[in-house]
Amino acid sequence: MSPTRARVGSLVLLLLMAATVVLARGRAPVEPAVLAPLAAPANPTAAGASVLSQVWVCPGLPINGGQGSGGEVVVLNPTTTPLVAILTVLLGDDAPAPVRLDVAPGERAVVDIAALATARFAGVMVDIVEGEGIVEQRALHPVGDAVAPCATTTSPTWYFADGTTEDGTLEELILTNPYAGSAVVNLRFVTTAGPRTPQALQGLVLEPRSTMVVRLGDDFAPDEPMVGVALEATSGQFVAGRAQHYLGGGRLGFTLSLGAPAPDDEWWFADGEIGPGISQVISLFNPTGAEVVAGVVPLGLPLDQGPLEPIEVRVPAGGVTRLDLGALGLLPEGRHGLLVSSLGEPALVVERALTRPAGDFVVTAVVMGVHRVSPSTRWYVAVGVDEPTPAGLVVANTTGVDTRLTVSDLGPGGAVPLPGLADLVLPASGVLALDLPVEAIGRPLVIDADVEVVVERSLIRRTGSEGRSNSLAVPT
Amino acid sequence: MERLDATAPPIVAVMVIHHPDVRLAEALDSLATQDYPDLRVLLLVAGDDADVAPVRQLAAERLPAAVVRSLGGNPGFGPACNVALDLVEGDRGFFLVMHDDVALDPHAVRCLVEEMYRSNAGIVGPKLVEWDDPRRLHRVGLGVDRIGEIDPLVEPGELDQEQHDAVRDMFALPSACLLIRADLLRLLRFDPDIDFHGDDVDLCWRAHLTGARVLLVPAARARHRSLLPERRPDLAHRALMARHRVWSVATLTGARRLPGVLMRLVVVTLAELIAGTVTGRARQSWSVLVAVAGLVPRLPRVVARRRRIRSLRIVPEGEVAYLQMRGSARLQRYRRARQAAAVRRHRHQDAAPEASRSAAATALTWLVALAFVLVGSRRLLLDGVAPVGEMLPFGSSPVDLLSRYLTPWWGSGIGGDQAMPTGVGLLGVAGVVAFGNMGLLHTLTTVGLLVVGLWGLWRIGARLHSDVGQRVCMLGGVLVPFGIGALAAGRWSALVLWAATPWWIDAIVATPPDRVGRRRNLAAFVMSVALVAAFVPAVLVVVPLLGLVLALGTALGHDGRVATGLAAAGRGLLRSLVAVAGAVALNLPWAWGVASGGRWDDVVRAGQTGTTGVGWWSLVQWGRSGVALAALSALVLVPAVAVVLLARQGRAVWGLRSAGLVGGFGLVTVVADRDMLPFPLGDVWWYVAPVAVGAAVALGTLAAAWRDDVVTRSFGWRQPLGLLAAAAAVIAALGPLLAAVDGRWEQPRSAIPVLLEQLPRDDPAGEYRVLFVGDERVLGMRSWPLGDGLGFSVVDDGPLTTTEVRWLPVPNAAVRSVHEAFDAVAADATGRLGRLLAPLGVRFVVVPVLDGVVSTAEAPLEAPVGLLDRLGRQLDLRRRSGTAELVIFENAAWLPTRAVLTGSTAEATQRAGAEVLVDVPFDERLPLRSGAAVTVEPGAVVHAGVPRSAGWRLDVDGQPMASRTAFGTVTAWDLPAGGTVRLRLDEPRDPVRWVIVAVQASAWTILAGLAVGWRRRHRRAGVTAPTEVLVHLDGTP
């Protein structure tokens, strides 16, 4: 072998080895396999046309057969094709047979759950196996009815920020497991005295396809003006709702809310009001282990009337901070929207309690905010008004540009704009309260905007006390 | 026609001539000068007709009375002599059969005849001395033991000091020169089945059976050259000797002694094989083993010949056996050789001590290596290999595997009308060879691969022309603990490649001197690549890369002209490409199925799980990171770098080749590990295997170069570098030591297949399938990709086996439906995955998380993002267990793989698509066992969760029913009138499939024959034996 070739060969190989070493430097990142990252937690969302089936889980309806109580589930078919759904009452072994629903285009099916089963509370699962739909629940209670959205996603965690057991107020947490397997849930809550983790509320076993009710107030956190709740499953996933029958502490009435499946860093509210006799309280629950500084930004105020800077709120780790906007005196009288932001830290769950005068009393409506990802250009209202309703819909523009919006009646022929509610101008970051005319009575509605908005409805209660019941519409 | 002298017994000397040369003249002269009065000469020319004329001319000059005849071909010595029997008439007198390289002393024939009469013998033969040096003995008869082993009774070069000059009864005499009674030869004839080697022993053995004596007549002397191997290089002499020897033993040994003799033959041969493996002389023993195995197909002929021989037996078997040697002829030969060597050493103080020390060191090296492997594998050998990673049990019986291979139905998982992989058939054949013990086969094909790898390195080491280098090269197989690590981690594909790579390197760089050798080398190469490709298709990538890297090393390091080096490199590369092409051809039609998918992914990932992203630190620890002292093993790369600079002269080429393997495949490894190319290269460990082999060869090359290129050179940079490399190698040797302590190379004790035993077996609820989905690196099985590192595989219920998970069919509609179902889950488009999977019989969805190999408790891979959460959100999946290793979901909506459907479930089979499936409750069904008869009501539908195929047959009251597609993917039969139904896979006797398999089996057999050196039996072909009578022994014309 010639020395020249040997040298060339050696050089080539040494260069090869050197290149290998250079390329191999550092550790190659070990990427996990990915099916699809779970979407950020969001409010219930109507599915698109590409969905094979969509399951809606209504957190729970009071169907104990008592005077004035009950509940119904409303399934709206907002499309032009038929909808087929299977409705199952989630009462474990006591559940009635599933009900098949065929809903024509543009129509609604209303199912009286109390007619199917009897229980203190019953979760309901609506499995849309053909077509697309929107599902909402309306709870009937002697002190007033309450509309709440049904969940389109289950989660191993659920949170509530605005709870109370003050003056005998009943707070009941309704845990619904729509799955074939059990879920095991731990419950912890935070009061003015700090966090609590009662042993009796650890390892709660949610049987398959069943509903469980946990009542706070008697044995746990009695007479607490502020109760934030965290429900965390060690196994399985579920849906959590909360029923509150206010009996004091400046609140009255009945509310039914769907929890928040996860903390987030932005929460939007369309409706809010400052005025005589009106109490508007924002509850900020930080279930994480670190303190969070949040900013509360009012929307829809003239620049010369509102605070220029966000209202800064500190929320301790694992704690709840309440902000009484009326008592602060920073906001002018009138309607406004709200944005609560934790500046990039997804650490907050925010609810707004709005107590307005109703006759001789007051009535409280509690609404969970809209997650950062949920503002949409189209919103549906399955449970509409029963009479002409002033300020029945409140729409907030979440963007910095002006937009136009139209409120339409959904029918078999599609969406028809309601009189006077077409091409309305909604300024950037503005709020618009819309009066629903007589044409809207008993009709499902659709709200279309050019940009992302948040829509909240304020329905006149049909039963019990007077006043309004606030709830979010359903975005697409 | 001539008349013989009536006063002396006539003798016809029959000389068989092949390719005459200068020796023939002397041989003819010796016949011409015989003092025997009635000697006739018949010259039979075997071979080309072109040889006849020179023989005639020579005979005319030297032996004018001789009769010359052409045989028109070369049937072998014995059969040629048989031709002479037809040319000579009469039984009075003798035949003197001779080779054409024998020259008799002038009175030899007379002495033979005299002794023949004196001793009343049947066959006599002369003392044979060396052609070129008549003072030295060549043969004085043949000693033969019970198993046909021959002892030549003299040592090569032994001086003739009249020490053997006594007339003696012999068991056999060499056929080089035999005087045989004519009547005896007509009775016995040479065995036509024995062409070369062994004809003399066979003839003499049969002569003994008839009571004829076989005598050595030392007074008669003949010179013999005996250069058959050189004259006939086209013959597989070793194989022929073994074959004919075994044939004679099997047919001539008495019935009473035969079982014991055959057992002794096998045992002795195995012992010799083991000893030969250590000493590098295993080929002869291997040939005997092959010959013994070859008796099986020849059994009818063995029986027939034994029946014929029975009529010849006059002498009791014991008397014949008495003439055979006691003990082992080979051992006697060995002892004599040792004694002779001792004498030589005493006389000359020659190089023998060094050779002896070398042999002892070789034996010791092998003992150390084998002991290390055996001690380290003792628990695996005793308890069996754990089902870790790819090392799942083979499962089925060989009969089942072979029958599955013969049918055109892919019988694993979802199934389909596709050719089963060649590997299934090969496993079946291997199972037969292992007498159906698939567990033993599994152990041998895992632990045994370590020995195969070491053996291959030993072969490469022989090319270093240094005993020390060869030994170190072999030991490099354990010093570089890649094979051990692969075995521990269940990386069977990588282990196979590691074991095969040395053999492939040897085949690529080999330069056999003749065509036969080249043919054998290429055949063995093609066959080994095909064999591995049947299980690890990625060799189709690895082998050409191997050829390329070695070509580079050869071209740069060739010790000659540039053009010669390039030509050698080109030949090696070409051989690797031919091997790959041959491997593809041998794996048809399965290979066509893989290729027809047109997806590179199917080639580089078929049969394994595709590990990447390992990281350089784990790579240089040969996949044993986390094991004590494993980091030290990285030091073996130091010699691989040093050897490039140190090795010189003939060793330089191996220095470059070994470093090329380390550097070239190292680069490919890093590229594969980091996924730098736009297409996947597959499992990173495949490319580490040649690196490990290269590192071992580098160690051997360094050892070979130590004395001449390091120690004896003038002091300079070489000595420090050499010392550094040697020290690194010594320290690295500590790395693998601890791994042997636990007796299982630290294989994890629990594995996913073990955990899966909690799933029900033979459940009355019906047969079902299990869907594995998760990170492809952790699945431990071949999977269909779902994208982003996620894959899935579907298997039948029961234990996981290699045949179920190593290969996947080309995706069909059913497979695509699973893919679409997961797409829907990923898009949150369904909460009914269970229903979407129900038609395929999927009852359990298993997500492996920790496999103990790629993902361990200490270093877990992150669970697939979104998978468990999304599966947990499926309404019809129930989380059944959630250990750290895996999560199992049970499908509440599952449908048995075979079921009778009624009501709405039956109606739903008429529709297709996921949109339909999500609305089907699948609750009106009864399980149906395959092959079981069940009575069903009218209107029912029989469902089978398999793609439609002619193979699946449903009989209703004995009448076959037509099937249809159900749910768009699987099979159903409508039963409007009900009845007693029986569903079964009617394995169709597809003639096309059988022909394909027959062609494939023939191709493998022919290639195997070429590889082991079998030859086409050609002696009868082309032989045109003359038919007229040329000589009369009885004195009549």
Side-chain angles (χ1 to χ4, degrees):
Chain A
M1 179 178 174
S2 78
T4 308
R5 258 190 286 155
R7 278 194 286 272
V8 169
S10 304
L11 188 63
V12 167
L13 285 171
L14 290 175
L15 286 175
L16 198 65
M17 291 177 178
T20 305
V21 170
V22 169
L23 283 177
R25 277 184 313 166
R27 183 181 172 82
V30 181
E31 301 289 345
V34 178
L35 177 62
L38 280 179
N43 294 72
T45 308
S50 61
V51 168
L52 291 173
S53 65
Q54 188 181 28
V55 177
W56 294 74
V57 181
C58 304
L61 291 162
I63 55 166
N64 60 356
Q67 186 66 36
S69 71
E72 57 193 27
V73 168
V74 179
V75 180
L76 165 67
N77 178 0
T79 70
T80 55
T81 57
L83 175 151
V84 177
I86 309 297
L87 183 147
T88 307
V89 181
L90 301 172
L91 287 175
D93 295 337
D94 300 327
V99 177
R100 186 181 179 90
L101 304 174
D102 294 283
V103 185
E107 294 297 327
R108 295 182 301 180
V110 180
V111 182
D112 181 2
I113 303 303
L116 297 176
T118 299
R120 177 150 181 72
F121 281 93
V124 174
M125 176 174 71
V126 178
D127 186 7
I128 299 176
V129 294
E130 189 176 328
E132 304 165 44
I134 307 290
V135 182
E136 292 183 309
Q137 70 172 19
R138 185 205 293 263
L140 306 177
H141 193 271
V143 298
D145 55 338
V147 174
C150 298
T152 52
T153 177
T154 56
S155 172
T157 55
W158 290 90
Y159 303 97
F160 297 93
D162 186 279
T164 177
T165 57
E166 193 174 11
D167 295 337
T169 293
L170 295 176
E171 175 167 351
E172 291 173 303
L173 301 168
I174 309 151
L175 283 57
T176 303
N177 177 11
Y179 296 112
S182 300
V184 180
V185 180
N186 294 333
L187 188 153
R188 61 185 168 97
F189 55 82
V190 58
T191 66
T192 50
R196 295 284 186 275
T197 308
Q199 197 59 38
L201 297 181
Q202 307 307 299
L204 303 172
V205 178
L206 273 177
E207 296 297 335
R209 307 249 160 92
S210 70
T211 304
M212 172 186 277
V213 179
V214 178
R215 181 168 176 168
L216 301 180
D218 295 336
D219 297 327
F220 311 106
D223 201 24
E224 285 285 351
M226 182 183 76
V227 181
V229 175
L231 295 152
E232 291 154 339
T234 56
S235 168
Q237 301 188 30
F238 63 106
V239 170
R242 181 192 58 205
Q244 288 202 297
H245 181 189
Y246 299 109
L247 297 172
R251 298 183 183 186
L252 289 174
F254 176 79
T255 64
L256 186 61
S257 308
L258 179 66
D264 208 341
D265 63 342
E266 276 187 18
W267 295 86
W268 297 84
F269 298 89
D271 195 10
E273 193 171 1
I274 299 292
I278 298 174
S279 164
Q280 184 181 193
V281 175
I282 306 293
S283 296
L284 299 92
F285 179 24
N286 171 14
T288 71
E291 184 188 73
V292 171
V293 177
V296 179
V297 181
L299 305 175
L301 296 179
L303 287 176
D304 58 342
Q305 292 187 26
L308 294 176
E309 297 296 324
I311 305 168
E312 190 174 289
V313 183
R314 289 188 178 276
V315 188
V320 175
T321 299
R322 279 193 170 173
L323 187 66
D324 188 338
L325 291 177
L328 280 178
L330 295 173
L331 303 180
E333 289 191 358
R335 287 189 183 276
H336 58 261
L338 286 175
L339 164 64
V340 181
S341 171
S342 57
L343 307 174
E345 289 292 324
L348 288 180
V349 174
V350 184
E351 284 186 287
R352 186 209 63 212
L354 195 58
T355 305
R356 291 188 174 109
D360 297 334
F361 303 99
V362 294
V363 170
T364 303
V366 178
V367 170
M368 182 72 73
V370 175
H371 288 265
R372 178 167 62 89
V373 295
S374 295
S376 171
T377 57
R378 168 167 282 201
W379 293 72
Y380 291 106
V381 172
V383 178
V385 296
D386 297 319
E387 55 188 284
T389 307
L393 289 178
V394 184
V395 184
N397 185 347
T398 64
T399 71
V401 295
D402 295 349
T403 185
R404 290 179 179 276
L405 66 89
T406 299
V407 180
S408 307
D409 164 25
L410 270 177
V416 178
L418 292 172
L421 294 179
D423 275 338
L424 303 174
V425 176
L426 177 61
S429 300
V431 174
L432 204 57
L434 305 175
D435 299 337
L436 295 178
V438 67
E439 288 82 358
I441 295 173
R443 300 302 309 162
L445 306 175
V446 58
I447 299 95
D448 289 302
D450 298 330
V451 299
E452 291 171 335
V453 297
V454 172
V455 179
E456 193 173 333
R457 80 194 121 176
S458 182
L459 303 179
I460 298 171
R461 294 178 191 263
R462 290 194 302 182
T463 60
S465 58
E466 299 175 11
R468 298 292 185 99
S469 160
N470 280 45
S471 58
L472 294 172
V474 179
T476 57
Chain B
M1 193 88 46
E2 300 174 66
R3 290 183 63 82
L4 299 174
D5 189 310
T7 60
I11 297 176
V12 176
V14 179
M15 181 180 284
V16 180
I17 301 167
H18 175 69
H19 290 335
D21 59 13
V22 291
R23 290 181 298 271
L24 182 59
E26 282 191 67
L28 295 181
D29 286 345
S30 76
L31 285 173
T33 56
Q34 288 298 308
D35 59 3
Y36 190 79
D38 194 357
L39 179 65
R40 318 300 298 183
V41 178
L42 177 56
L43 303 178
L44 297 176
V45 182
D48 303 336
D49 289 341
D51 293 340
V52 177
V55 172
R56 282 189 197 282
Q57 186 179 351
L58 203 59
E61 293 170 1
R62 311 286 176 130
L63 203 59
V67 177
V68 179
R69 284 293 181 272
S70 169
L71 294 175
N74 190 351
F77 179 76
C81 292
N82 288 344
V83 172
L85 291 176
D86 298 329
L87 299 175
V88 177
E89 195 171 68
D91 291 339
R92 197 175 68 85
F94 305 97
F95 283 99
L96 178 68
V97 295
M98 294 174 65
H99 292 184
D100 61 354
D101 54 358
V102 171
L104 297 163
D105 283 357
H107 56 279
V109 173
R110 183 174 52 78
C111 291
L112 290 172
V113 174
E114 285 173 359
E115 193 59 42
M116 178 79 85
Y117 277 104
R118 186 180 302 124
S119 302
N120 191 24
I123 302 175
V124 295
K127 175 171 71 178
L128 299 176
V129 294
E130 293 289 346
W131 180 276
D132 296 322
D133 185 1
R135 293 176 306 149
R136 298 188 183 276
L137 291 169
H138 180 66
R139 291 285 184 274
V140 287
L142 300 172
V144 178
D145 65 11
R146 303 284 165 80
I147 57 174
E149 190 77 57
I150 294 174
D151 180 3
L153 303 177
V154 294
E155 278 307 298
E158 184 176 333
L159 284 172
D160 181 9
Q161 296 169 314
E162 301 181 354
Q163 68 271 36
H164 296 288
D165 280 3
V167 175
R168 282 186 293 162
D169 279 297
M170 304 299 302
F171 190 79
L173 294 167
S175 63
C177 181
L178 291 174
L179 184 70
I180 311 170
R181 271 188 3 234
D183 61 324
L184 183 64
L185 186 58
R186 285 199 188 281
L187 174 68
L188 301 177
R189 304 176 77 93
F190 280 94
D191 188 328
D193 284 331
I194 300 178
D195 43 11
F196 300 95
H197 299 292
D199 43 9
D200 38 20
V201 172
D202 188 85
L203 179 73
C204 293
W205 195 332
R206 284 184 289 133
H208 286 301
L209 295 181
T210 64
R213 294 180 69 186
V214 178
L215 292 180
L216 171 74
V217 184
R221 198 182 73 153
R223 289 185 298 142
H224 185 209
R225 190 167 180 85
S226 183
L227 289 174
L228 185 59
E230 288 79 1
R231 297 178 70 187
R232 292 299 303 274
D234 58 316
L235 298 177
H237 296 276
R238 196 177 284 114
L240 285 174
M241 276 190 275
R243 177 188 172 96
H244 296 155
R245 171 189 157 202
V246 171
W247 171 252
S248 294
V249 170
T251 55
L252 302 181
T253 304
R256 192 167 51 85
R257 294 175 184 269
L258 186 60
V261 167
L262 285 180
M263 189 172 294
R264 177 176 163 182
L265 176 66
V266 172
V267 171
V268 169
T269 306
L270 284 174
E272 289 175 354
L273 183 66
I274 294 168
T277 303
V278 172
T279 58
R281 294 170 186 156
R283 301 185 82 175
Q284 184 171 345
S285 306
W286 177 249
S287 300
V288 177
L289 270 187
V290 172
V292 172
L295 281 178
V296 176
R298 294 200 293 171
L299 212 52
R301 294 176 60 202
V302 170
V303 172
R305 190 177 192 226
R306 290 187 63 84
R307 196 172 294 132
R308 287 197 303 274
I309 296 294
R310 195 184 306 150
S311 64
L312 295 177
R313 290 183 188 276
I314 296 173
V315 176
E317 172 70 11
E319 289 187 22
V320 176
Y322 179 77
L323 292 169
Q324 292 176 316
M325 296 178 64
R326 307 297 187 274
S328 166
R330 177 176 279 206
L331 204 57
Q332 292 278 4
R333 209 164 58 213
Y334 175 72
R335 280 184 192 150
R336 200 179 307 112
R338 295 270 300 174
Q339 287 167 357
V343 169
R344 279 199 301 275
R345 279 201 303 276
H346 181 71
R347 285 179 183 165
H348 308 294
Q349 291 295 310
D350 58 10
E354 188 179 339
S356 177
R357 279 198 300 274
S358 177
T362 297
L364 185 64
T365 307
W366 267 105
L367 280 175
V368 168
L370 291 178
F372 182 70
V373 170
L374 288 175
V375 169
S377 309
R378 63 187 184 280
R379 301 310 315 170
L380 302 179
L381 294 171
L382 293 173
D383 304 337
V385 177
V388 177
E390 299 175 62
M391 291 177 183
L392 297 178
F394 295 144
S396 313
S397 70
V399 174
D400 178 50
L401 289 172
L402 288 173
S403 61
R404 284 167 73 174
Y405 187 63
L406 288 173
T407 64
W409 174 256
W410 188 293
S412 299
I414 294 174
D417 280 328
Q418 292 179 37
M420 281 296 273
T422 314
V424 173
L426 291 173
L427 274 183
V429 172
V432 171
V433 174
F435 299 105
N437 191 335
M438 301 304 280
L440 173 66
L441 182 65
H442 186 231
T443 303
L444 288 178
T445 52
T446 47
V447 177
L449 286 174
L450 288 178
V451 180
V452 173
L454 295 180
W455 189 1
L457 286 167
W458 178 259
R459 279 180 67 100
I460 292 184
R463 296 188 176 279
L464 298 173
H465 303 297
S466 159
D467 289 342
V468 176
Q470 186 178 21
R471 288 194 288 270
V472 173
C473 184
M474 189 267 282
L475 285 177
V478 289
L479 295 181
V480 184
F482 177 81
I484 295 168
L487 181 60
R491 291 189 284 264
W492 191 76
S493 302
L495 180 62
V496 169
L497 287 175
W498 173 81
T501 298
W503 298 87
W504 292 338
I505 293 172
D506 193 59
I508 290 171
V509 303
T511 53
D514 55 34
R515 206 169 123 246
V516 175
R518 285 194 292 274
R519 194 169 58 195
R520 287 184 61 177
N521 178 59
L522 186 60
F525 189 20
V526 171
M527 185 137 178
S528 63
V529 174
L531 190 64
V532 176
F535 298 90
V536 190
V539 295
L540 307 182
V541 180
V542 174
V543 170
L545 281 176
L546 201 60
L548 194 63
V549 169
L550 291 173
L552 181 70
T554 303
L556 291 172
H558 192 267
D559 193 9
R561 293 189 303 126
V562 174
T564 313
L566 288 175
R571 279 195 298 273
L573 183 58
L574 183 63
R575 267 199 290 275
S576 64
L577 296 176
V578 169
V580 166
V584 172
L586 284 173
N587 278 287
L588 291 173
W590 169 63
W592 175 255
V594 173
S596 61
R599 297 180 63 241
W600 167 259
D601 215 33
D602 284 338
V603 176
V604 295
R605 294 174 61 187
Q608 57 80 50
T609 55
T611 306
T612 56
V614 173
W616 71 272
W617 183 231
S618 181
L619 289 172
V620 297
Q621 294 181 82
W622 312 103
R624 298 174 65 246
S625 51
V627 177
L629 300 183
L632 296 181
S633 299
L635 291 174
V636 295
L637 291 172
V638 175
V641 178
V643 77
V644 181
L645 303 169
L646 293 175
R648 284 290 168 265
Q649 297 180 350
R651 297 166 293 276
V653 68
W654 278 105
L656 289 172
R657 282 171 178 162
S658 59
L661 288 170
V662 172
F665 275 93
L667 186 63
V668 176
T669 298
V670 171
V671 169
D673 189 47
R674 300 211 149 200
D675 213 8
M676 290 175 167
L677 297 179
F679 50 87
L681 284 174
D683 193 329
V684 66
W685 296 111
W686 296 340
Y687 305 102
V688 183
V691 176
V693 172
V697 176
L699 285 172
T701 309
L702 185 66
W706 183 258
R707 190 178 65 182
D708 295 334
D709 299 336
V710 178
V711 176
T712 58
R713 292 277 184 134
S714 56
F715 187 78
W717 58 269
R718 289 175 173 276
Q719 287 74 20
L721 181 60
L723 279 174
L724 177 68
V730 170
I731 296 170
L734 300 173
L737 284 182
L738 286 185
V741 172
D742 77 340
R744 51 193 309 114
W745 305 115
E746 302 186 339
Q747 259 193 354
R749 290 181 186 275
S750 66
I752 287 172
V754 176
L755 296 170
L756 288 175
E757 288 177 4
Q758 61 185 293
L759 299 184
R761 300 262 175 91
D762 300 322
D763 195 337
E767 297 166 350
Y768 62 86
R769 294 199 177 107
V770 180
L771 185 144
F772 288 85
V773 60
D775 192 319
E776 290 173 312
R777 294 166 290 190
V778 185
L779 278 179
M781 61 183 69
R782 177 86 171 91
S783 60
W784 283 293
L786 282 171
D788 291 329
L790 209 64
F792 74 91
S793 186
V794 181
V795 302
D796 292 320
D797 53 1
L800 282 178
T801 62
T802 291
T803 47
E804 281 224 274
V805 305
R806 175 152 284 281
W807 301 280
L808 286 180
V810 175
N812 51 28
V815 174
R816 285 191 289 274
S817 72
V818 177
H819 202 298
E820 288 162 5
F822 274 96
D823 285 346
V825 170
D828 287 328
T830 186
R832 293 289 187 184
L833 177 65
R835 288 182 179 179
L836 297 179
L837 300 176
L840 302 176
V842 174
R843 180 175 176 186
F844 295 100
V845 178
V846 176
V847 183
V849 180
L850 302 180
D851 65 346
V853 179
V854 178
S855 178
T856 61
E858 296 77 27
L861 280 183
E862 187 181 337
V865 174
L867 179 63
L868 290 174
D869 287 333
R870 289 178 192 281
L871 291 178
R873 289 183 178 182
Q874 300 305 308
L875 291 167
D876 37 22
L877 294 186
R878 183 168 61 90
R879 187 165 168 147
R880 178 168 163 144
S881 95
T883 63
E885 287 83 2
L886 48 78
V887 180
I888 300 176
F889 294 90
E890 183 168 10
N891 182 3
W894 74 288
L895 206 55
T897 313
R898 283 165 276 281
V900 177
L901 310 182
T902 55
S904 61
T905 307
E907 289 171 14
T909 61
Q910 299 281 358
R911 295 177 290 161
E915 302 81 8
V916 174
L917 291 175
V918 295
D919 192 19
V920 181
F922 296 110
D923 53 357
E924 295 174 272
R925 79 280 201 276
L926 288 171
L928 177 64
R929 296 248 164 218
S930 183
V934 174
T935 302
V936 300
E937 298 297 318
V941 169
V942 170
H943 160 85
V946 294
R948 270 188 84 192
S949 163
W952 282 95
R953 174 181 168 134
L954 182 84
D955 291 336
V956 179
D957 298 328
Q959 296 300 313
M961 299 291 289
S963 66
R964 63 171 170 82
T965 300
F967 302 115
T969 53
V970 292
T971 310
W973 291 264
D974 293 316
L975 305 175
T980 302
V981 303
R982 187 192 299 270
L983 175 63
R984 60 197 162 92
L985 178 61
D986 185 16
E987 297 169 356
R989 301 285 183 261
D990 182 356
V992 175
R993 176 68 181 164
W994 281 71
V995 168
I996 289 172
V997 172
V999 170
Q1000 188 184 32
S1002 303
W1004 279 86
T1005 307
I1006 290 169
L1007 204 65
L1010 287 173
V1012 300
W1014 289 345
R1015 296 291 188 283
R1016 185 167 58 89
R1017 300 179 65 106
H1018 58 274
R1019 61 175 175 274
R1020 291 184 185 82
V1023 175
T1024 52
T1027 54
E1028 77 274 28
V1029 175
L1030 301 176
V1031 181
H1032 285 275
L1033 284 174
D1034 295 338
T1036 53

